[in-house]
Every structure is written in C-alpha cells, then in structure tokens.
Amino acid sequence: MNNLSNMIKVAVVGGEGIGPEVTAQSHRVLNWFATKRNVPMILREAQYGLIPYLATGKVLPQDTAEAMDEADAILWGATGGPETTEVPAAARKAGSLLSLRSKYDLYANLRPIVANPALAESAPLKASVLRDVDFVIIRELTGGIYFGEPRGIEKLADGQRRGFNTEQYTTNQIRRVARTAFELARTRKGRVCSVDKANVLETSVLWREEVVALHAAEFSDVELSHLYVDNAAMQIVRAPSQFDVMVTGNIFGDILSDCAAMASGSLGMLPSASLGPVDRFGRRKALYEPVHGSAPDIAGKGIANPLGSILSVAMMLRMTLNRPDDAALLENAVDTALAAGARTADITEPGATELSTREMGDAVLSALEKVAGKEREHA
C-alpha cells in the first residue's frame, strides 16, 4: 500500500462467522468498481479472529493491524460466535471491535434505514407503516456505558456477587456526534431527533442540554426534537417515516438500530459506517460493516444475506471515495436486483426461490452491468 499513496487504501477484513461469506461478495463489488469505473483504490485482504489466533496467538495479528492502520477505509465482516470460546478472554479483548473503535476514534456510527418497496411482502411490518421510510440513526460509538469506568464484577460481604458498569459522557463527546447529525440533516430533510432518557439519567440530562446548546449556537436552521428512548423504540415500529436523522448514545443506538432493522425488512439489509475525526488533510478514518453479527448458526452454509455488506460499500463510495454517482449506481443495482425477485432466505416470500450468498452477489453484479449500461445510453 505504501507505494500507492495516490490511491484510496481499503483493508478488507472478513472476520468470523458469516463475515467472510458476505464480505467476499462486497469485495467482488469493489473489484467491479475498480475495474469498470476506474475507482482509484487498492484493496488488501487481512484475517481476523479464530483462524489467525490459532496460527499466531492473536485474533488481530500484526499484518492485519498494519493493513488497517494504513487503510483509509476498512471493510469489516463480523466478529464473535461460539468458536470464540477457543480464544482466551484477554486475547479476544485485546483485538476486539470495541478496541478498534477506540484506537481509531470512530465516534460516529451511521446506520441508514430505508424500506425497499420490493420487500413489502416479506417485511415484518405492514406496508402502510413502511411507506416512505428513509432515515439515518447516528450512534455515538466511543463513549457511554460500553467504555465507562469503573466496571467489573465483585463479591459483596454477604456472599452475593454484583456486576457494575458506568455510563458517562462529556460535553465534547456529545457535541461532536450531535454536530455530525445536524450537518447530515442539512443535506437531507433538515430534521434531527435526539434520543435520551433525561427523565432518569444524569448523563441524558447532560446529553439533552448539550444538544440544545449546540443547536441554538450553530444549527438553528435545523428542526430539533427529543424523544425518550422507550418512546423512540415504539415510534420506530409505529411510524418510522416521521424520522429524518436520529442521534443517540452508544447503548441506545445499539438497541434502536436493531429495532429499526424491522423497518428495512431484515437485519441482513442494514449497512453502517463508523467515522473518525477529520484530519488536517480533510480525510477521516472509516470502518464500513453490515449491522448483523456473525450468525454462527448459519455460518458456512452459504445462505447469508450479503446486501448489508454490499450497501456498506455504497456508503464507502460516497463517504470515503467521494464517488456519490457510483454510490447511487450501486444502490440502484441493489434495488434492481430486489425488484427482479432476488432473495436470500431472510427476505424471501413464501414459495419464492431462495438465492445463496454468492448468487445474490451475482444478481447485484448483473444489475450493475444493466444499470451502468443504461447510464451510458443516456450519457
């Protein structure tokens, strides 16, 4: 990578469970854009998890760490599963995704929630509820209860055990992720909904106060509303089309974004981007990954839905590679494939043909050729 400084460097890390399977298809899509659209990038594959641990004693071996350090963008698959019992807890923690988020300061996690009309029959929510759903959840990713100290499990004097974690946020942590939300809203419908639990938690009182202060100082042109997290969960499944940009803390965002998957048809459909701060050259480190986990129950069967990973590539094209037209082309290709009936098991209607992971990749690549051809015809 070092000799190609004019290229955008992408580390492709499949990880564990279904991660390598779905990432293999998004890797094919990246290769298509490099070859057919001359997108200036160099790809470097690297391993993570049980396999490198058995060979090196580390879930995140040195060559993988180097590939990720050098990369402008990381395409990530998944981590975790029963196989991790073979890896000691200390080794797992040393190379965990949480540690990577902290290392690269990936503080803003963007998860777009879009209801595709082609999936109306297989979606768990009514078609009337899913009409016009298009919003983004921005989750603060490097603070809150997942990183707070003190934490641990202790034995009490009466013989009981007590587990404890610390929820905490600072002004700067809140304001920088809120700024990301306000700036994104300015490019969309101009609405931000901040989610907290300010009626109970002091951290949420501070969260709301800082969001309100930033809004008044810099973003009064954006409409700001607030919801408690329990109400937000209900509203996401009751009337998700009301939202434009939703911003919230780490644990609330973790839960709400999985809940919001029901507004997109399946957890396997959701992409995400985790963004670091902008450096003096105007670049920012980014990690792109599907929202789903490692799904060990179906790993190796070739039936996982790769669209969350493929749509994460679309986010990469837009946010890191600065190729919005190519991002739109890929999103159009996914829509085209779905409209033509391409379905993996998680999004299939009764009686419909189920595609394998690779066959869904084939369908998207075929659709890319089709929509790119139409684009050339109209050029």
Side-chain angles (χ1 to χ4, degrees):
M1 287 186 176
N2 290 332
N3 296 325
L4 296 164
S5 58
N6 61 319
M7 306 283 276
I8 296 296
K9 305 173 186 69
V10 180
V12 181
V13 187
E16 301 169 291
I18 63 171
E21 300 171 52
V22 298
T23 306
Q25 303 313 308
S26 51
H27 195 172
R28 293 172 69 198
V29 169
L30 280 169
N31 283 332
W32 188 92
F33 278 96
T35 303
K36 299 294 184 72
R37 305 283 288 191
N38 297 316
V39 176
M41 57 183 165
I42 181 70
L43 308 180
R44 176 174 170 181
E45 283 194 275
Q47 288 190 323
Y48 172 92
L50 176 62
I51 292 175
Y53 176 79
L54 294 176
T56 69
K58 294 182 179 180
V59 296
L60 184 64
Q62 184 62 32
D63 61 337
T64 300
E66 290 174 357
M68 296 174 71
D69 287 347
E70 291 181 6
D72 300 291
I74 301 162
L75 179 62
W76 184 269
T79 179
E83 74 278 8
T84 61
T85 59
E86 298 182 47
V87 182
R92 173 63 62 184
K93 184 177 181 180
S96 70
L97 190 53
L98 284 178
S99 70
L100 292 173
R101 291 168 180 168
S102 180
K103 176 182 180 180
Y104 298 126
D105 198 15
L106 303 175
Y107 67 88
N109 178 243
L110 280 62
R111 299 186 172 186
I113 311 297
V114 180
N116 194 302
L119 301 180
E121 292 302 315
S122 62
L125 300 179
K126 294 179 180 178
S128 59
V129 173
L130 298 180
R131 188 174 299 117
D132 299 324
V133 170
D134 181 356
F135 67 103
V136 179
I137 295 177
I138 300 183
R139 167 189 172 190
E140 198 290 322
L141 204 60
T142 57
I145 201 166
Y146 292 164
F147 290 90
E149 297 287 348
R151 60 191 297 159
I153 299 174
E154 64 183 5
K155 188 171 183 179
L156 302 179
D158 63 0
Q160 294 188 76
R161 300 169 73 215
R162 177 173 63 185
F164 55 96
N165 293 84
T166 303
E167 166 79 356
Q168 59 185 23
Y169 271 112
T170 65
T171 295
N172 288 342
Q173 286 176 317
I174 297 166
R175 288 198 170 208
R176 68 176 182 173
V177 74
R179 178 172 283 105
T180 299
F182 287 128
E183 289 174 346
L184 179 62
R186 278 177 170 168
T187 70
R188 291 173 51 89
K189 303 170 190 173
R191 304 196 308 272
V192 169
C193 177
S194 177
V195 175
D196 57 44
K197 194 63 175 171
N199 58 335
V200 176
L201 302 175
E202 283 78 6
T203 47
S204 282
V205 172
L206 179 66
W207 179 282
R208 186 172 294 207
E209 289 176 352
E210 293 297 339
V211 170
V212 168
L214 179 65
H215 175 258
E218 300 182 31
F219 297 99
S220 58
D221 56 306
V222 177
E223 179 184 324
L224 174 63
S225 62
H226 304 272
L227 283 177
Y228 295 141
V229 63
D230 42 354
N231 188 18
M234 180 182 71
Q235 296 299 329
I236 283 173
V237 295
R238 187 190 74 83
S241 62
Q242 68 183 283
F243 298 114
D244 179 24
V245 177
M246 177 182 288
V247 64
T248 190
N250 206 337
I251 191 169
F252 294 159
D254 190 0
I255 296 166
L256 290 177
S257 58
D258 277 19
C259 176
M262 297 302 96
S264 67
S266 167
L267 193 62
M269 293 291 299
L270 291 191
S272 80
S274 300
L275 308 177
V278 178
D279 65 18
R280 61 193 180 93
F281 301 109
R283 289 187 172 185
R284 63 195 311 176
K285 195 84 165 185
L287 185 149
Y288 298 91
E289 62 176 321
V291 172
H292 63 70
S294 60
D297 56 321
I298 61 170
K301 297 181 179 180
I303 61 173
N305 187 347
L307 293 182
S309 186
I310 289 171
L311 289 170
S312 295
V313 168
M315 297 186 78
M316 184 190 299
L317 286 165
R318 182 172 283 114
M319 296 180 178
T320 295
L321 291 155
N322 195 27
R323 307 275 292 212
D325 291 344
D326 284 327
L329 184 77
L330 179 52
E331 290 161 349
N332 188 4
V334 170
D335 289 345
T336 299
L338 291 172
R343 300 287 188 275
T344 45
D346 61 314
I347 55 173
T348 191
E349 301 90 352
T353 300
E354 296 180 4
L355 299 184
S356 68
T357 306
R358 183 173 180 83
E359 287 170 339
M360 180 59 90
D362 291 340
V364 172
L365 289 168
S366 176
L368 270 171
E369 294 286 354
K370 180 178 180 180
V371 296
K374 288 183 178 179
E375 181 186 80
R376 288 191 293 271
E377 289 176 4
H378 293 91

